[in-house]
Amino acid sequence: MKIQVSADLLDGMVLALLDRQDYYGYALTQDMQKAISVSESTMYPVLRRLKKNEFLTTYDQPYEGRNRRYYQITPAGQEHLADIIDMWDQFKESLDQVFKGGQVQ
């Protein structure tokens, strides 16, 4: 059984990785796949949406005779990431209370 990952969590994971370093699309997908099952066909729409919302910028770098498009987090993306982390912390705490038998608030 697989748990579905929401768009907000995908956005947060992508932004968290990009907050550490710039990535080109394939390498970003490979690192995301270390944590969750995600395909390139899922990743590129996420990247386009984040860029459209100005959470990412892109630049090209030559590599072996062609260009690689790199993604870079923007200050607005860093703020959005902080918001997603806050929402995740609250959500995770609520789930932990249910799953681990704590008091639900």
Side-chain angles (χ1 to χ4, degrees), residues 6 17 29 37 44 57 63 67-68 71 76 79 86-87:
S6 73
L17 287 173
T29 301
S37 177
Y44 285 102
T57 60
Y63 178 77
N67 282 335
R68 279 186 174 163
Y71 296 87
E79 289 178 23
D86 287 343
M87 287 185 290

Side-chain angles (χ1 to χ4, degrees), residues 74-92:
T74 63
Q78 290 171 326
E79 289 178 23
H80 188 57
L81 173 59
D83 291 342
I84 291 171
I85 290 170
D86 287 343
M87 287 185 290
W88 170 253
D89 287 341
Q90 293 171 18
F91 183 69
K92 183 180 177 303

Side-chain angles (χ1 to χ4, degrees), residues 43-62:
M43 287 296 296
Y44 285 102
V46 171
L47 292 167
R48 280 193 298 274
R49 182 178 64 249
L50 290 170
K51 185 176 180 195
K52 179 183 174 195
N53 291 329
E54 300 182 351
F55 299 139
L56 303 179
T57 60
T58 59
Y59 62 91
D60 293 338
Q61 288 279 98

